[in-house]
């Protein structure tokens, strides 16, 4: 068990948390949610001791081991992958290394023998003989191939390092497990594996995530950070949402009834306060009026953008024809003779562990990369808007965001353009912000503004939820559901894929495809998914 007792955290005069009291118990998974800036990651750092609260304390049951997801990808570059995972249980790792050092001695003494015996006993008690196989099982489940397990961490790509650090946090059955955005950089197969791991995990889990489907799948409780407080709800994310909305509706309805009663009492008092025969009744109503208190309904710190993609032109029957596309990069064939046609009512999700292949395909379709073989042709009625996975070059400019966005608008009126920024939560002087200084989430919202203002009838998204808070992800999900045109989508958010796509194309490790007209959940349950998959991994050059 771990608890926060009267925890307050202040930065100067601003209190991020004020007298927080919350207890996390064994056998439960707690999802920490809240708007960007509410303090979700900060609260996890308080729990794991990285940040000291201004007041209050964190208490962990004696003898319990806490494990958390490390964020520094370079911290373990000098260590082998398996060693890095086993370091998740530092005491076990220290025993392993001390044993190795003793056995490597040329002048092995009696004292060394006694110490080695003690270490062996403790090592066996901690199930140390299974440490490497347990670590390998977790790595494989997350998509790190066996031949990489003995590589140095410094040789891995960024996405692979994140998976190893996640494996480190999961290793050794910790009593308390803290995970900050564990699904970042995971493909959908790895996320599914992690979901099953956490569902079967018997101890305490506290997780911050923007993935609604993930929170629904694994969480038994939701801890909502808002107004500087943390409110605990029993149930998953959907239950929290319905409960919180119901609570607000009930408070508003109660206030409405109270306001009607206040109006009625005030009218009576006004009419009869000077009437001697009614003075007692007027006095009684004054006392009743003084007792009525309206419930305080604070404005939430959550802000939802308004995402609405409206095509300027209706799309025709011929949308896209792809014939025999192949592409090899760094000696690896990422696309191998793929052929498919896109129809006017298709919303296609591209899935599979080979994320690089999806990006390469989208770049070819947008003319940013040439295929080695094959052709593609867009229909004459189509217009495309593209959300790239890497937007670094786009934002490498000192242009103000309003000026940059105006380039893509047929209507050059400043008020019209700023209206699109306003929908994306850029208010007032935000329009003169320089492109290069924007945060990750702001950059994504600017890209959505561009896609809305272009009014295209084909939308192509390569991982659009990276850097977004849950409110923006929800708004994007709603916008995609309403969009009447064609969508080509690669996305790690299960709920977006399930609610948006009516067709699934999986790019296999060998560069070929499986193409099915179906929902994502139906595809996961299909015969194709019953086969044993090899998860494809890459080097740093693909990121």
């Amino acid at each position: 068990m771990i608890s926060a007792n009267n925890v307050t955290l202040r930065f100067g005069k601003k209190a991020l948390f004020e007298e927080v009291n919350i207890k996390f118990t064994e056998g439960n998974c707690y999802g920490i949610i809240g708007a960007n800036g509410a303090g979700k990651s900060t609260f996890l750092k308080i729990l794991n001791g990285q940040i000291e609260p201004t007041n209050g304390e964190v208490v962990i049951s004696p003898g319990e081991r806490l494990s958390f997801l490390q964020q520094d990808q370079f911290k373990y570059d000098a260590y082998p992958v398996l060693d890095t995972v086993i370091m998740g249980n530092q005491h076990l790792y220290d025993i392993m290394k001390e044993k190795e050092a003793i056995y490597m001695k040329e002048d092995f003494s009696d004292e060394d023998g006694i110490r080695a015996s003690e270490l062996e006993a403790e090592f066996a008690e901690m199930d140390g003989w299974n440490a490497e196989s347990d670590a390998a099982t977790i790595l494989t489940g997350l998509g790190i191939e066996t031949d990489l397990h003995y590589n140095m961490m410094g040789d891995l790509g960024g996405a692979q390092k994140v998976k190893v650090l996640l494996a480190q946090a999961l290793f050794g059955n910790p009593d308390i497990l803290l995970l900050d955005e564990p699904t970042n950089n995971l493909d959908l197969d790895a996320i599914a594996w992690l979901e099953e791991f956490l569902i079967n995990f018997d101890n305490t889990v506290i997780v911050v995530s923007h993935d609604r489907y993930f929170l629904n799948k694994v969480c038994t409780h939701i801890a909502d950070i808002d107004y500087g407080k943390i409110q605990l709800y029993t149930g998953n994310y959907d239950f929290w949402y319905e409960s919180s909305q119901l609570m607000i509706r009930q408070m508003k309805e109660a206030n409405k009834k109270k306001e009607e009663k206040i109006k009625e009492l005030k009218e009576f008092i006004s009419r009869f306060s000077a009437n001697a025969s009614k003075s007692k009744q007027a006095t009684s109503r004054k006392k009743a009026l003084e007792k009525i208190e309206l419930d305080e309904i604070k404005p939430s710190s959550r802000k939802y953008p308004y995402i609405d993609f409206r095509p300027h032109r209706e799309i025709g029957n011929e949308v896209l024809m792809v014939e025999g596309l192949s592409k090899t990069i760094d000696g690896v064939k990422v696309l191998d003779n793929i052929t498919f046609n896109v129809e006017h009512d298709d919303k296609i999700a591209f899935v599979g562990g080979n994320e690089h292949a999806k990006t390469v395909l989208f770049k070819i379709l947008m003319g940013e990369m040439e295929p080695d073989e094959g052709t593609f042709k867009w229909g004459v009625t189509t217009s495309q808007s593209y959300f790239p996975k890497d937007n670094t070059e786009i934002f490498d400019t000192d242009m103000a965001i309003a000026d940059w966005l105006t380039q893509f608008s047929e209507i050059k009126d400043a008020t019209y353009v700023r209206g699109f920024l306003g929908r994306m939560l850029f208010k007032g002087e935000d329009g003169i912000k320089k492109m290069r200084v924007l945060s990750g989430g702001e950059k994504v919202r600017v890209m959505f503004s561009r896609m809305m203002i272009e009014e295209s009838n084909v939308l192509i998204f390569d991982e659009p939820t990276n850097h977004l808070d849950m409110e923006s992800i929800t708004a994007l999900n709603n916008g995609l559901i309403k969009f009447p045109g064609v969508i080509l989508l690669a996305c790690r958010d299960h709920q977006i894929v399930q609610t948006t796509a009516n067709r699934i194309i999986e790019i296999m490790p060998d560069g070929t495809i499986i193409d099915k007209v179906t929902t994502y959940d139906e595809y996961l349950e299909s015969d194709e998914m019953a086969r044993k998959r090899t998860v494809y991994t890459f080097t740093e050059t693909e990121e």
Side-chain angles (χ1 to χ4, degrees):
M1 185 192 76
I2 182 171
S3 62
N5 301 333
N6 295 313
V7 166
T8 296
L9 182 66
R10 290 191 179 91
F11 297 106
K13 295 182 179 180
K14 180 184 176 183
L16 189 60
F17 303 113
E18 195 76 54
E19 295 184 353
V20 169
N21 289 281
I22 189 168
K23 184 184 295 184
F24 304 100
T25 58
E26 183 181 358
N28 292 313
C29 179
Y30 300 84
I32 308 291
I33 64 171
N36 275 0
K40 301 183 294 294
S41 296
T42 301
F43 184 66
L44 285 194
K45 289 177 180 177
I46 291 174
L47 293 180
N48 69 32
Q50 289 180 283
I51 294 178
E52 284 290 327
T54 308
N55 293 307
E57 62 177 353
V58 172
V59 177
I60 298 176
S61 296
E64 293 198 343
R65 183 171 70 85
L66 182 147
S67 178
F68 62 93
L69 176 56
Q70 298 277 356
Q71 301 297 319
D72 184 357
Q73 294 184 17
F74 306 102
K75 183 175 180 180
Y76 301 94
D77 278 359
Y79 295 92
V81 169
L82 271 179
D83 279 26
T84 301
V85 175
I86 296 171
M87 285 181 200
N89 188 339
Q90 189 63 49
H91 184 54
L92 175 63
Y93 182 76
D94 291 342
I95 291 174
M96 287 177 59
K97 291 303 163 183
E98 188 177 351
K99 279 201 317 161
E100 290 176 8
I102 290 175
Y103 291 140
M104 288 178 66
K105 285 185 175 182
E106 293 182 2
D107 52 342
F108 192 87
S109 66
D110 291 342
E111 289 78 8
D112 290 330
I114 293 171
R115 180 57 181 161
S117 177
E118 294 171 347
L119 292 171
E120 290 289 6
E122 190 172 3
F123 187 69
E125 187 178 343
M126 297 179 70
D127 199 25
W129 295 112
N130 291 320
E132 288 198 2
S133 62
D134 290 345
T137 298
I138 297 173
L139 287 168
T140 304
L142 291 172
I144 301 297
E145 290 183 335
T146 305
D147 59 1
L148 295 176
H149 293 185
Y150 294 93
N151 283 21
M152 302 302 289
M153 283 287 286
D155 296 332
L156 301 188
Q160 293 171 331
K161 288 181 179 180
V162 170
K163 290 182 176 182
V164 176
L165 293 179
L166 177 56
Q168 180 192 75
L170 303 178
F171 175 78
N173 196 36
D175 300 290
I176 301 163
L177 178 59
L178 308 184
L179 301 175
D180 191 356
E181 298 293 355
T183 61
N184 282 1
N185 293 299
L186 296 189
D187 56 72
L188 290 167
D189 288 340
I191 293 173
W193 183 90
L194 177 61
E195 289 167 356
E196 290 303 314
F197 181 96
L198 294 179
I199 288 170
N200 294 305
F201 188 74
D202 293 329
N203 298 331
T204 305
V205 182
I206 306 171
V207 58
V208 171
S209 177
H210 290 137
D211 188 327
R212 298 158 299 163
Y213 182 89
F214 178 77
L215 292 176
N216 277 330
K217 198 81 183 285
V218 305
C219 288
T220 60
H221 297 73
I222 296 293
D224 179 29
I225 301 180
D226 210 352
Y227 322 117
K229 301 289 185 181
I230 302 181
Q231 179 71 38
L232 190 63
Y233 295 79
T234 301
N236 62 13
Y237 177 80
D238 281 349
F239 185 84
W240 162 81
Y241 183 79
E242 293 299 328
S243 298
S244 61
Q245 295 302 304
L246 176 62
M247 187 186 309
I248 293 172
R249 287 197 299 271
Q250 289 174 337
M251 291 173 68
K252 287 181 176 178
E253 289 171 4
N255 277 355
K256 184 178 180 181
K257 290 179 180 178
K258 289 178 183 179
E259 287 168 350
E260 290 172 354
K261 185 65 176 177
I262 289 171
K263 181 180 178 182
E264 177 187 323
L265 292 172
K266 284 183 176 179
E267 287 177 351
F268 186 92
I269 294 167
S270 176
R271 286 174 58 196
F272 298 110
S273 58
N275 186 322
S277 63
K278 299 282 189 177
S279 61
K280 286 187 178 181
Q281 295 179 38
T283 301
S284 174
R285 281 164 172 75
K286 282 182 181 179
K287 291 180 180 179
L289 180 62
E290 291 171 357
K291 292 179 180 179
I292 298 177
E293 293 183 2
L294 297 178
D295 294 321
E296 183 182 9
I297 304 177
K298 298 179 181 179
S300 174
S301 58
R302 291 181 171 84
K303 303 296 180 185
Y304 289 84
Y306 179 69
I307 299 178
D308 187 18
F309 302 108
R310 296 184 181 182
H312 176 70
R313 179 182 185 181
E314 188 174 345
I315 202 165
N317 289 327
E318 292 186 358
V319 178
L320 174 64
M321 290 153 284
V322 176
E323 184 69 35
L325 280 188
S326 294
K327 185 68 177 180
T328 298
I329 296 179
D330 295 333
V332 177
K333 200 155 200 175
V334 294
L335 301 175
D336 186 9
N337 192 32
I338 66 171
T339 297
F340 62 91
N341 290 338
V342 178
E343 309 296 336
H344 72 281
D345 58 352
D346 278 341
K347 292 178 171 57
I348 305 174
F350 291 82
V351 303
N354 191 339
E355 292 190 22
H356 189 40
K358 304 166 201 171
T359 297
V360 168
L361 175 61
F362 289 162
K363 284 185 174 182
I364 289 173
L365 296 180
M366 291 306 297
E368 295 183 3
M369 183 181 288
E370 290 292 327
D372 297 334
E373 299 174 9
T375 61
F376 69 93
K377 181 181 179 182
W378 288 102
V380 295
T381 64
T382 65
S383 53
Q384 303 86 33
S385 286
Y386 174 44
F387 183 98
K389 188 175 183 178
D390 183 0
N391 56 35
T392 304
E393 290 186 11
I394 293 173
F395 289 89
D396 187 19
T397 173
D398 286 321
M399 290 184 71
I401 57 176
D403 294 337
W404 180 85
L405 187 60
T406 302
Q407 302 174 103
F408 306 98
S409 174
E410 290 189 5
I411 301 172
K412 303 301 181 182
D413 178 70
T415 302
Y416 175 79
V417 173
R418 283 179 178 260
F420 284 87
L421 290 174
R423 296 178 192 178
M424 292 294 101
L425 307 180
F426 293 99
K427 304 297 184 184
E429 295 301 310
D430 287 345
I432 63 173
K433 276 187 176 181
K434 303 296 185 185
M435 291 280 285
R436 70 169 73 251
V437 304
L438 299 180
S439 68
E442 287 175 327
K443 289 177 180 178
V444 173
R445 287 187 276 119
V446 167
M447 293 298 296
F448 291 163
S449 298
R450 169 180 165 174
M451 297 180 80
M452 287 194 295
I453 212 168
E454 287 178 329
E455 298 182 330
S456 300
N457 52 26
V458 178
L459 304 180
I460 303 175
F461 292 94
D462 193 358
E463 300 298 346
T465 61
N466 291 352
H467 307 294
L468 288 185
D469 58 20
M470 202 168 310
E471 292 70 40
S472 296
I473 292 173
T474 301
L476 172 63
N477 199 166
N478 293 336
L480 294 180
I481 291 171
K482 291 188 299 181
F483 181 63
V486 167
I487 296 174
L488 307 182
L489 170 73
C491 182
R492 296 188 184 96
D493 190 289
H494 185 118
Q495 191 162 332
I496 284 182
V497 174
Q498 170 60 20
T499 57
T500 300
N502 56 22
R503 180 177 168 189
I504 304 296
I505 293 180
E506 179 174 8
I507 303 179
M508 301 302 293
D510 62 1
T512 60
I513 64 172
I514 295 174
D515 186 352
K516 292 286 185 180
V517 177
T518 181
T519 66
Y520 184 58
D521 283 347
E522 290 170 343
Y523 184 72
L524 291 177
E525 296 171 0
S526 67
D527 292 339
E528 283 78 8
M529 294 298 294
R531 70 197 182 286
K532 183 178 176 68
R533 278 207 178 86
T534 302
V535 181
Y536 208 67
T537 54
F538 299 95
T539 59
E540 184 69 49
T541 56
E542 329 149 319
E543 307 218 340

